[in-house]
Amino acid sequence: MILGICGSGRKEGNTGALVEEVLKQTGSETELVWLIDLNVGYCTGCMRCTFEGNCWQQDGMTELYKKMIDSEAIVIGSPCYYGDVSGLVKSMMDRSIALGYMGIGKESETPMHGRKPLADKPAAVVSAVAGHGVERALETMERFVSYNEMKLVGKFGAVAGMQDVREHANIMTEAGELGARIKEMLR
Ligand SMILES: Cc1cc2nc3c(=O)[nH]c(=O)nc-3n(C[C@H](O)[C@H](O)[C@H](O)COP(=O)(O)O)c2cc1C
């Protein structure tokens, strides 16, 4: 299963359309998760996960951790907010710190960084933006991908003003190409 994680609150919006197109072009079984539906709490920085092996918060992340680990590849999409990712995506990334302490995956080469259960999984990152700031949003998600030692398949920032990306064939084609690259990588 290829997992899409969308951090926009607008289900008819541009970020979701991009993630859906990437997933579609993988030609695989896919699942799209909307972080807005998961009620993801903030990471409190307590570090209990490092010795308890899981996050103390029982919320939508509990199920998402499993899906992330079980997936063959992950596509993360965020709208660009103030030149960066949305709070939903940032919370998902922060809470994912617990993945390193669940006792699965290869040991990190960096001391204190736990294990890397997502290592070597292909990952793509996409962001929708009206005008400016998408580079940083993509960079933030890329950093998450590299911290988790996933393989970055590609990134795409769609600049669409206040328009619908579905009306821009070139944007949808570029998003789809990321999906095709994931398909190729999984062959
Ligand atoms: C809180 C907030 C912050 C935003 N910040 C930016 C920004 O820094 N640069 C920009 O060009 N557009 C910005 N936008 C516009 C969105 O990036 C744009 O409308 C995007 O397509 C929204 O994605 P969605 O359709 O998936 O909701 C912002 C919108 C919101 C709601």
Side-chain angles (χ1 to χ4, degrees):
M1 177 271 290
I2 299 176
L3 178 66
I5 301 175
C6 186
S8 170
R10 298 196 319 140
K11 293 199 176 168
E12 300 307 317
N14 285 340
T15 312
L18 296 173
V19 176
E20 276 167 1
E21 187 60 18
V22 179
L23 292 178
K24 188 173 155 200
Q25 298 306 328
T26 64
S28 295
E29 183 201 336
T30 65
E31 181 172 346
L32 175 56
V33 168
W34 290 87
L35 295 173
I36 192 84
D37 292 336
L38 297 193
N39 196 22
V40 176
Y42 302 114
C43 175
T44 60
C46 65
M47 304 310 283
R48 268 164 63 175
C49 59
T50 64
F51 49 90
E52 288 182 3
N54 220 325
C55 183
W56 63 272
Q57 299 184 66
Q58 293 293 312
D59 59 14
M61 275 311 286
T62 312
E63 195 57 35
L64 189 56
Y65 290 136
K66 288 196 205 103
K67 288 182 180 172
M68 290 169 94
I69 291 163
D70 292 344
S71 63
E72 294 167 84
I74 300 179
V75 180
I76 308 171
S78 178
C80 174
Y81 286 174
Y82 292 100
D84 215 312
V85 295
S86 65
L88 285 168
V89 168
K90 187 66 168 72
S91 286
M92 178 278 292
M93 295 193 302
D94 293 350
R95 290 284 303 285
S96 296
I97 199 81
L99 285 168
Y101 306 99
M102 294 177 180
I104 43 172
K106 71 172 185 187
E107 290 285 350
S108 171
E109 284 161 21
T110 316
M112 314 288 288
H113 279 212
R115 302 174 80 118
K116 301 286 173 183
L118 307 183
D120 301 324
K121 220 182 265 290
V125 298
V126 294
S127 182
V129 66
H132 302 283
V134 78
E135 298 80 12
R136 175 64 179 269
L138 293 171
E139 198 185 310
T140 298
M141 292 185 280
E142 275 181 83
R143 212 174 304 129
F144 175 77
V145 167
S146 84
Y147 177 90
N148 285 291
E149 297 181 18
M150 291 186 273
K151 286 189 238 158
L152 186 72
V153 177
K155 56 180 174 175
F156 177 49
V159 185
M162 296 315 279
Q163 294 167 354
D164 190 327
V165 288
R166 296 168 191 82
E167 285 161 19
H168 292 266
N170 55 330
I171 289 179
M172 297 311 280
T173 302
E174 264 200 75
E177 279 166 6
L178 278 185
R181 255 185 266 166
I182 294 175
K183 182 179 184 176
E184 192 59 37
M185 208 177 244
L186 290 176
R187 262 214 279 182

